[in-house]
Amino acid sequence: MTIAGRPYRRHRQITVVSLLLLVLSMTFGPTPSSAAGADWWNPTARPAPDSRINVTGEPFTGTNAQGEVRGFVDAHDHLFANEAFGGRLICGKVFSEAGVADALKDCPEHYPDGSLAVFDYITKGGDGRHDPVGWPTFKDWPAHDSLTHQQNYYAWVERAWRGGQRVLVNDLVTNGVICSVYFFKDRGCDEMTSIRLQAKLTYDLQAYVDKMYGGTGKGWFRIVTDSAQARQVITQGKLAVILGVETSEPFGCKQVLDIAQCSREDIDKGLDELYSLGVRSMFLCHKFDNALCGVRFDEGGLGTAINVGQFLSTGTFWKTEKCTGPQHDNPIGTAASAAEKDLPAGVEVPGYDENAQCNVRGLSDLGEYAVRGMMERKMMLEIDHMSVKATGRVLDIFESASYPGVLSSHSWMDLNWTERVYGLGGFVAQYMNGSEGFSAEAKRTDALRDKYGVGYGFGTDMNGVGGWPAPRGTGTANPVTYPFRSVDGGSLIDRQTTGERTWDLNTDGAAHYGLVPDWIEDIRLVGGQDVVDDLFRGAESYLDTWGGTENHRAGVNLAEGAAASASSQEWNPFTSYAAGRAVDGDLATRWAGDWSDDQWLRIDLGATNLVGRVTLDWERAYGKSYRIQLSADGRDWRTAWSTTTGDGGLDTARFTGTPARYVRVQGVERGTEWGYSLREVGVHSG
């Protein structure tokens, strides 16, 4: 979810017009579809009246000559965000048993002219006034810059599927603080309660679509919980839907005045519940620092507003430090915001050093416990919205275990991490930008995709309050020409019509989800067929990442519990820093040596083993220059790996597998004024 901000203005009170009551009372039952018959992709019954799909031709099925699935991936969407934030921030529903008129209607407070559409004018600017009538006229919404109205009506998603999309990640989303401060709501603000409801409604939508096609399992909208199911669904030509979670306080893990409000037991219980709901990917932090990790900042006036929300939620503002590497978080927005009026008297948003652009918060001990808990459950972790300090630690952990389950789904990580993500076997998608910008960024990373043999994805973030591609205009040299062929060539796609409104990407931009195929055609015209071909390989690459995650097996740590010795150990009357503390399997203990450069830690594996990977989890006192040495007898040593640029954290040394009984970490130069200190050393065969 990405929130866009605009100036706040006060509006006068309005009343709801009586016409709304008439609209609320209208219901429509399913009637036979005129297109029904042998065409499996058309329903035997569809609600009437309803949106049109405006796509003809059979959806592609099967695999390509290499046995790979095909299709586009939306790695980041929010189908049911209308149920989040208290239920009145996003207006309209994905579907309704009462029909399209009930689903696509505005929030009550938006009638008669949008004067009380508070969030609308905060996000869009102007005075917030708009025609609230949805079905059947849709004069003012949905629109590419209207961030408070439903964009994911089920028939629009159906059009995207018919246009070639085969994977949709439905991120269950909410934010308790936004809910609590927003004026209008019809429910409580507990985040996990909203997540459960959105998961249930996703399954309800599957049943709703199934009913149109004659029964359970027959519809095109298929929720999947493993990569094999997803491949089967896509091979059948249907849409594989994966559940994810994007929320600010998962499992209640907020922090107040730097004190965590959750425990390891809460994390285990929360992960188990989400997994049982079908969730297979998630964010650990979003917008506000929490007890698990620090966040990547927001910019502009929105940054100020989010920082205020951070203070109201946690009692602390964002804190920054100078970055230690090329990666950096977004600059903190410091422009004035109406949200500042919500601060207690005498409290002000602090200023920030423009040369200190990194969040001081990284991945906490609880956050690391959650990451490892996701690994145990074979879940995929979203690193967008994490601070670079947190992201770096996550990537270190995953690299130390060769764990591929890492996702960047909508351009919110530092782009310098891209190759590390691909190197792990992870998946990258770009935010749904305008075709020019999207194509340029796709081409910037094209060589990396070629190197790793992967496809590409997009993250629409629809219903995520972020803004979507504006129209390029009919005067452009290469507008989308209707009708056009789908990428596979089997379908003909015309302008999309719902009720009395017909949308054209050239003049309307990406107003709703049904225009995803039109946007992809625009990318083909602007960026070329190569960009679209990479997108069409997205489904295969996403499922490669998911399948690799499911098939990951934790390697045996040959060092755990082994005999260890060291050149020295730091003396402390209360705590032992003996060599064995670095191989006891407990990250809360450590070996620490004397405060001099030439120190070593030696591990006896007890027998000769093939050694090809050593992981070192440094405490603050780390080695800048050190060697990994191997020996068969403990006397003759061979250097298998070395570095002179160590920077602490979690290091992974990989080298050609070599038979050895003894492993030695030989310090050459310290990275701090203290000695060398290792929380844990892991030794693996490969």
Side-chain angles (χ1 to χ4, degrees):
M1 176 182 181
T2 305
I3 301 178
R6 297 292 190 274
Y8 174 93
R9 297 182 183 179
R10 188 174 300 278
H11 280 55
R12 69 180 188 277
Q13 184 70 26
I14 63 170
T15 60
V16 178
V17 296
S18 58
L19 178 60
L20 174 62
L21 300 176
L22 177 61
V23 175
L24 286 170
S25 69
M26 298 172 66
T27 60
F28 303 97
T31 60
S33 168
S34 60
D39 298 341
W40 63 268
W41 56 92
N42 285 319
T44 57
R46 185 190 295 278
D50 202 2
S51 171
R52 296 175 62 186
I53 308 302
N54 303 105
V55 179
T56 57
E58 180 176 1
F60 59 88
T61 60
T63 59
N64 65 13
Q66 291 74 42
E68 300 170 331
V69 297
R70 300 162 292 165
F72 305 119
V73 174
D74 182 354
H76 194 106
D77 186 31
H78 303 293
L79 287 177
F80 292 97
N82 58 291
E83 303 293 348
F85 318 109
R88 299 272 277 276
L89 201 71
I90 308 294
C91 306
K93 303 175 185 177
V94 179
F95 74 102
S96 172
E97 295 288 351
V100 65
D102 181 61
L104 296 180
K105 64 183 180 185
D106 216 336
C107 291
E109 57 273 9
H110 288 202
Y111 287 82
D113 62 359
S115 297
L116 279 185
V118 179
F119 198 63
D120 198 60
Y121 58 74
I122 289 176
T123 57
K124 189 177 179 179
D127 60 8
R129 294 178 182 270
H130 64 274
D131 181 357
V133 177
W135 177 270
T137 54
F138 299 107
K139 179 177 181 294
D140 288 336
W141 65 270
H144 73 90
D145 57 352
S146 175
L147 311 186
T148 63
H149 295 97
Q150 181 61 250
Q151 297 171 295
N152 282 316
Y153 185 59
Y154 91 92
W156 300 337
V157 178
E158 180 178 351
R159 175 180 162 89
W161 158 64
R162 291 286 301 275
Q165 186 172 322
R166 291 297 179 267
V167 174
L168 186 154
V169 180
N170 178 29
D171 281 320
L172 316 175
V173 63
T174 193
N175 182 293
V177 174
I178 293 176
C179 172
S180 66
V181 301
Y182 189 54
F183 303 97
F184 304 104
K185 61 180 69 72
D186 54 23
R187 65 199 66 181
C189 295
D190 179 72
E191 292 192 354
M192 290 305 293
T193 298
S194 180
I195 295 303
R196 295 182 191 106
L197 173 61
Q198 292 176 53
K200 174 186 178 299
L201 287 171
T202 310
Y203 285 96
D204 288 349
L205 174 57
Q206 178 176 258
Y208 181 77
V209 174
D210 279 353
K211 185 178 179 182
M212 296 182 204
Y213 284 79
T216 303
K218 295 185 177 182
W220 54 268
F221 186 94
R222 311 306 320 152
I223 300 170
V224 295
T225 55
D226 62 56
S227 62
Q229 285 181 345
R231 287 188 181 279
Q232 182 180 28
V233 164
I234 296 170
T235 301
Q236 294 170 350
K238 299 182 179 181
L239 180 69
V241 179
I242 298 107
L243 296 184
V245 165
E246 183 184 37
T247 190
S248 296
E249 297 167 3
F251 332 124
C253 280
K254 67 184 300 181
Q255 56 90 12
V256 177
L257 298 176
D258 299 324
I259 299 174
Q261 305 298 299
C262 67
S263 65
R264 291 188 172 193
E265 291 74 19
D266 294 323
I267 292 169
D268 283 328
K269 181 180 178 182
L271 285 173
D272 286 342
E273 179 183 9
L274 291 178
Y275 194 90
S276 69
L277 290 173
V279 172
R280 295 295 180 266
S281 67
M282 71 176 296
F283 295 76
L284 289 180
C285 50
H286 176 240
K287 295 303 178 186
F288 305 140
D289 294 337
N290 61 27
L292 305 178
C293 48
V295 295
R296 189 168 169 83
F297 308 128
D298 280 88
E299 303 180 55
L302 175 62
T304 302
I306 298 294
N307 205 2
V308 169
Q310 155 108 1
F311 180 85
L312 296 176
S313 174
T314 70
T316 59
F317 290 105
W318 286 326
K319 299 175 184 177
T320 65
E321 62 186 6
K322 289 188 176 180
C323 304
T324 58
Q327 293 78 23
H328 58 83
D329 293 316
N330 296 328
I332 293 181
T334 56
S337 169
E340 293 175 270
K341 64 182 177 54
D342 295 323
L343 290 171
V347 177
E348 296 182 353
V349 177
Y352 293 94
D353 182 352
E354 64 181 13
N355 294 317
Q357 224 176 77
C358 281
N359 195 335
V360 300
R361 292 184 183 273
L363 190 69
S364 69
D365 289 343
L366 280 175
E368 185 159 330
Y369 184 81
V371 168
R372 296 186 185 278
M374 291 181 68
M375 294 170 70
E376 291 172 5
R377 292 163 178 82
K378 310 298 177 65
M379 298 173 72
M380 294 177 287
L381 176 64
E382 294 264 14
I383 57 174
D384 287 2
H385 289 295
M386 270 188 175
S387 68
V388 295
K389 197 170 186 178
T391 302
R393 179 66 179 179
V394 165
L395 294 177
D396 285 346
I397 291 171
F398 282 7
E399 286 168 346
S400 73
S402 299
Y403 188 79
V406 57
L407 304 171
S408 174
S409 63
H410 67 337
S411 303
W412 260 75
M413 71 161 182
D414 189 294
L415 296 178
N416 289 303
W417 295 129
T418 301
E419 185 160 15
R420 288 186 75 180
V421 172
Y422 283 149
L424 279 164
F427 185 80
V428 174
Q430 186 187 159
Y431 188 84
M432 188 184 186
N433 298 308
S435 55
E436 297 98 332
F438 188 95
S439 299
E441 172 58 21
K443 291 178 179 179
R444 188 189 71 83
T445 54
D446 182 64
L448 282 177
R449 289 193 298 280
D450 287 345
K451 177 180 177 179
Y452 290 95
V454 295
Y456 203 34
F458 53 83
T460 63
D461 202 16
M462 291 279 182
N463 285 0
V465 200
W468 297 274
R472 289 199 296 127
T474 55
T476 184
N478 51 353
V480 173
T481 302
Y482 293 92
F484 58 89
R485 285 285 174 186
S486 58
V487 174
D488 65 293
S491 296
L492 192 64
I493 303 171
D494 208 342
R495 293 176 179 83
Q496 199 283 317
T497 298
T498 304
E500 299 170 9
R501 176 76 185 272
T502 296
W503 282 270
D504 183 321
L505 189 82
N506 299 302
T507 54
D508 298 309
H512 62 66
Y513 207 93
L515 295 171
V516 166
D518 312 52
W519 171 71
I520 291 173
E521 170 68 1
D522 203 39
I523 289 174
R524 186 187 69 81
L525 294 168
V526 170
Q529 187 65 42
D530 287 349
V531 178
V532 175
D533 287 345
D534 275 2
L535 290 172
F536 203 56
R537 288 192 290 268
E540 176 65 29
S541 288
Y542 185 93
L543 297 188
D544 278 347
T545 294
W546 192 4
T549 304
E550 293 168 325
N551 293 324
H552 179 265
R553 297 292 179 267
V556 175
N557 181 3
L558 302 171
E560 187 168 341
S565 57
S567 55
S568 64
Q569 71 178 63
E570 183 180 334
W571 182 84
N572 187 295
F574 306 106
T575 303
S576 170
Y577 296 124
R581 291 301 185 98
V583 291
D584 61 2
D586 185 355
L587 291 174
T589 63
R590 59 188 174 96
W591 164 68
D594 287 347
W595 294 12
S596 61
D597 286 332
D598 189 19
Q599 302 292 328
W600 52 262
L601 173 74
R602 188 176 77 165
I603 302 167
D604 180 356
L605 303 179
T608 299
N609 290 269
L610 188 69
V611 177
R613 176 165 55 96
V614 175
T615 60
L616 302 98
D617 199 343
W618 297 98
E619 193 253 352
R620 286 178 297 172
Y622 64 91
K624 178 181 179 182
S625 177
Y626 64 93
R627 307 183 185 108
I628 304 297
Q629 299 178 316
L630 306 178
S631 174
D633 56 11
R635 295 186 299 273
D636 297 324
W637 296 91
R638 183 181 72 82
T639 297
W641 185 91
S642 65
T643 184
T644 59
T645 57
D647 58 359
L650 180 55
D651 289 344
T652 299
R654 298 180 188 274
F655 43 86
T656 302
T658 305
R661 172 172 174 170
Y662 299 92
V663 177
R664 184 168 70 183
V665 181
Q666 177 66 60
V668 177
E669 181 184 357
R670 293 166 294 154
T672 68
E673 61 184 315
W674 305 299
Y676 301 98
S677 184
L678 285 162
R679 297 195 296 179
E680 202 70 19
V681 176
V683 177
H684 305 269
S685 292

